[in-house]
Amino acid sequence: MSDTTAKKVYDYDAERVRDRLVDVFRKRRGEATTADLIALTGLPKVQVETEVKAVSDEYGARLRVTESGEILYSFPSGMRSRYRGLGPSLRRGWKAFKKGAAAVASFLFKIWIVVMLVGYFLLFVALALLAMLASVAVSVSGGSKDRDDRRSGGGLGGLWLTTNIIDTIIRVWFYSELFRDPADRAYARERRRQKRPLYKAIFSFVFGDGDPDSGWDELEKKAVVAFLQANKGVVTLPEFMAITGLPPLEAEARINRYLYEFEGSPEVSEGGTIYYSFPSLLRSRDKVDRTFGFSIPTKRIAAFSANPKKANVWFCALNGANFLFGSYFLASALSPHSLLSVLYSGQYAGKIMMVRGWEGFYYFTHQLFGKLAGVADPSLFLGLVLGAVPLAFSILFFAIPAIRSRRLAARNERARFENLRRVAYRAVLDGPQSVRPEAIPVADDAARPRDSRAAERVVTELAAWAGADPSADGSYAFTEIARGKAEAAKVRAAVDSSAYDLGRAVFDSHA
C-alpha cells in the first residue's frame, strides 16, 4: 500500500499542480510560503516544491526572506504568464511569422541585390563601350578634323577608357588582377581560392555576417554550471549577476529559470542570506574546474563586415557608378531641353548625326533601344529602366549598410555596457568593503562604453539594490554583499563533496 501511495506522489499531472498553485498565489495576492501552498492546496510537499519553481519562472517570482528565515514567494507584478494565454501565443506566432517572412524576403532580396549591382554595372559599361566605339568609328570616317578632335578627347574618352573599364570589371568579379606581371599570377590564384565568392562578399557588405554572440545563451549556461560545479553547487545572486551581466531585477527573474531547468532550490543561510543550491550538478564524473579562475565570459564586438576594406571600396565604386549612370539617364529623359528635341525636329529628323560628349551617349542609347524595340521615342523606357530603377537601387544599396552601421553601433554599445557590468560586479565581489567606480579595472576594450560615466552608473545601480551608501571620498561599502559572501563561504565549507562522488560502477550492461 505504501508503495502505491509513494508512486502516486511522484506520478502526477504537472499542469494541474501548477494551475492550483497559481490559484493560491492569486488568492493570496501573489505571496505565499511553501507551507501556505501545501495547506491551501492539500498537495504533497514534493509536488509543491517541484512545481513552484516552474510557476516562479513563468510568472516572474521574486524571493523574500522573513524574520523567521522562511522563503516567501512574491509576485509584485501580478500573476501574468510569460508563456501562456492569448497575448504570449500571439507574440510567439507573430515572432515565428516575422522570422520566416524575414528569411524568405532576405533570401530573395540578396539575389536581387547581386543581380542589380553587377547586372546594371555590366549593362552600363557595355552601353558605354558600344557608344564609344560608335563615336570613334564616326570620328574616323569624318576626316582629319574629327581625328584631331578625337585625339584631344572627343567621344567618350578614347581607347584608354575601354581598357580601364574592362580591367575594373575583371578585378571586381574575379578578385584578381590579370594584368599583373606573370610572376605574380600564381600567388594571385592562391589568394582567390582563399577568398569568399562574390555574392557572399556583397551580402557581408550589405547585411553583415550575423551576430557573433548568437550562441550566447548556451555559453552563459555553461559558465554558470561550471561555476556551480567548482563551488559545491552554491551560487549567490551577486555571483550570478557577475557571470551573466544582468542587472539585479533581471537576474532575479533569470535565476528562476535556472532553478527550474537544473533542479535547483532557493535556500536561506543561518545568517538570513538567500543562496541557490544545485546539488544534482555535483554528481559529475568530470571534476575539472572550468571556471578558469572565475574567468567571466564577455560578449564580442561585432564587425561591420568580414570583407577586407578594399573589397567594400570596390562595391561602393560599382554602386557609385550605377548611381551616376542612373542619375544621368533619368535627368536626360526628364530634361525639356535635351538634344533629342533638336535632333528630331526639322531637317535633322531621322538622320544619323555624330554627337559627342555625354549628350552623345544618351543619343546613342536612345537610338539603340529605338531600333531594338521598334519605338520611335523610347525616352520613357530609358528614364524608367536605365534611370529611376538603378537610381533607387543605388540609394537603397547605400542606405541599408548605413542604417545597419548605426544599429550595429548601438548593439556594440549595449554589449560593452553588459561586459562592464560583469567586470564591475566582479570587482565588487572581490572587494566589497570599498569600491570606487573610477578605479574599476577595465582591461578589455569590449568593456569600455563610450559613456565615460558608465562605471559610475553601474555601481550606483548596484548600490541602490544592495543598500550601499557612498562614503565621503566617493567610494561605496557593500556591507550586505560582503555578508552574503561570507555566508556563502560557510555554506560551501559545510558541503561534503565526497557525498556526491559517483563511486565505482556496480553494473555494466556490456559485461
Side-chain angles (χ1 to χ4, degrees):
M1 182 71 178
S2 59
D3 290 341
T4 304
T5 304
K7 181 179 180 181
K8 289 182 179 179
V9 167
Y10 291 97
D11 184 14
Y12 61 91
D13 185 346
E15 286 297 326
R16 177 176 170 274
V17 172
R18 294 175 193 176
D19 290 341
R20 293 184 66 181
L21 294 177
V22 170
D23 289 339
V24 170
F25 279 120
R26 283 175 175 156
K27 292 176 182 178
R28 302 277 298 186
R29 295 185 180 181
E31 285 193 345
T33 64
T34 301
D36 292 329
L37 297 173
I38 294 173
L40 294 172
T41 61
L43 294 171
K45 181 173 180 286
V46 64
Q47 295 181 12
V48 172
E49 290 179 338
T50 301
E51 298 308 324
V52 75
K53 301 171 187 176
V55 173
S56 299
D57 169 59
E58 183 174 348
Y59 295 90
R62 294 178 62 185
L63 303 183
R64 301 168 61 193
V65 179
T66 63
E67 291 180 350
S68 62
E70 205 53 43
I71 293 178
L72 184 67
Y73 293 90
S74 175
F75 298 86
S77 300
M79 301 301 295
R80 290 193 295 272
S81 173
R82 295 188 294 173
Y83 308 130
R84 294 186 291 179
L86 180 60
S89 297
L90 290 176
R91 285 193 293 270
R92 286 194 297 270
W94 176 245
K95 184 178 180 181
F97 173 77
K98 286 197 304 181
K99 184 177 180 180
V104 173
S106 176
F107 176 74
L108 296 176
F109 192 60
K110 288 174 179 179
I111 295 176
W112 179 70
I113 278 184
V114 174
V115 172
M116 291 289 289
L117 178 66
V118 179
Y120 262 107
F121 180 75
L122 294 177
L123 175 61
F124 286 137
V125 169
L127 290 175
L129 290 175
L130 289 175
M132 184 200 65
L133 293 175
S135 178
V136 171
V138 173
S139 298
V140 171
S141 64
S144 60
K145 181 179 183 300
D146 293 332
R147 286 194 295 270
D148 292 339
D149 291 339
R150 188 175 68 257
R151 284 193 295 267
S152 63
L156 294 175
L159 293 177
W160 66 271
L161 180 61
T162 307
T163 56
N164 278 277
I165 291 177
I166 294 176
D167 180 59
T168 299
I169 296 172
I170 296 175
R171 286 169 185 259
V172 174
W173 185 264
F174 294 102
Y175 291 99
S176 173
E177 298 181 5
L178 299 184
F179 300 114
R180 285 182 176 182
D181 294 336
D184 296 334
R185 290 184 180 179
Y187 174 72
R189 284 196 298 270
E190 181 63 27
R191 290 192 62 190
R192 285 201 303 274
R193 294 192 192 100
Q194 299 174 359
K195 293 183 178 179
R196 58 172 61 181
L198 177 63
Y199 73 95
K200 289 187 177 181
I202 295 176
F203 296 169
S204 177
F205 172 75
V206 179
F207 298 102
D209 299 281
D211 187 356
D213 293 314
S214 57
W216 178 257
D217 289 343
E218 181 181 348
L219 179 62
E220 179 188 282
K221 288 181 180 180
K222 288 181 178 180
V224 173
V225 170
F227 179 86
L228 288 167
Q229 291 180 335
N231 290 273
K232 298 187 176 181
V234 173
V235 65
T236 63
L237 193 60
E239 291 168 340
F240 182 76
M241 290 159 57
I243 300 171
T244 61
L246 294 172
L249 296 182
E250 292 183 27
E252 289 177 352
R254 182 72 61 83
I255 195 71
N256 289 328
R257 187 67 185 172
Y258 277 80
L259 293 174
Y260 177 54
E261 290 185 358
F262 299 106
E263 298 182 351
S265 61
E267 307 289 346
V268 182
S269 68
E270 293 182 357
T273 297
I274 293 180
Y275 66 92
Y276 303 89
S277 177
F278 296 82
S280 61
L281 296 178
L282 298 181
R283 299 188 181 280
S284 172
R285 183 175 182 275
D286 186 1
K287 301 299 183 181
V288 176
D289 184 355
R290 303 188 185 280
T291 62
F292 304 104
F294 198 7
S295 176
I296 302 172
T298 56
K299 288 191 172 182
R300 291 180 288 179
I301 303 303
F304 175 78
S305 170
N307 296 334
K309 186 176 180 180
K310 184 178 179 181
N312 290 337
V313 171
W314 277 117
F315 298 144
C316 289
L318 261 68
N319 192 60
N322 290 344
F323 178 84
L324 294 176
F325 277 114
S327 302
Y328 165 75
F329 277 106
L330 182 61
S332 298
L334 297 177
S335 176
H337 304 293
S338 66
L339 182 64
L340 290 174
S341 61
V342 178
L343 297 176
Y344 278 96
S345 64
Q347 58 180 326
Y348 300 114
K351 295 183 179 180
I352 299 178
M353 299 276 300
M354 183 184 70
V355 185
R356 296 183 180 278
W358 289 108
E359 284 190 321
F361 178 38
Y362 183 73
Y363 172 71
F364 170 81
T365 308
H366 191 281
Q367 291 285 86
L368 179 64
F369 280 93
K371 298 294 185 183
L372 293 176
V375 180
D377 186 5
S379 300
L380 179 61
F381 174 84
L382 295 182
L384 180 63
V385 177
L386 298 184
V389 172
L391 180 60
F393 166 78
S394 300
I395 294 174
L396 190 63
F397 188 86
F398 281 133
I400 292 176
I403 296 173
R404 185 173 65 83
S405 178
R406 295 190 63 178
R407 296 182 62 182
L408 188 66
R411 179 265 176 205
N412 286 339
E413 189 67 7
R414 289 193 299 270
R416 289 189 178 96
F417 198 81
E418 288 183 25
N419 292 339
L420 177 62
R421 274 206 201 101
R422 295 180 180 89
V423 174
Y425 292 166
R426 173 64 190 274
V428 172
L429 285 172
D430 288 343
Q433 293 79 11
S434 179
V435 178
R436 298 181 64 88
E438 66 275 10
I440 292 176
V442 181
D444 191 355
D445 182 65
R448 288 196 185 95
R450 295 178 181 177
D451 183 2
S452 59
R453 302 187 63 183
E456 181 180 350
R457 287 169 51 198
V458 170
V459 174
T460 302
E461 177 187 54
L462 184 63
W465 172 76
D469 296 321
S471 303
D473 62 352
S475 63
Y476 290 83
F478 291 86
T479 307
E480 285 300 314
I481 290 181
R483 187 173 67 85
K485 182 179 178 181
E487 289 289 317
K490 292 180 182 178
V491 171
R492 289 173 181 133
V495 175
D496 182 9
S497 299
S498 62
Y500 299 97
D501 289 341
L502 298 182
R504 65 183 182 86
V506 296
F507 174 76
D508 189 342
S509 61
H510 291 278

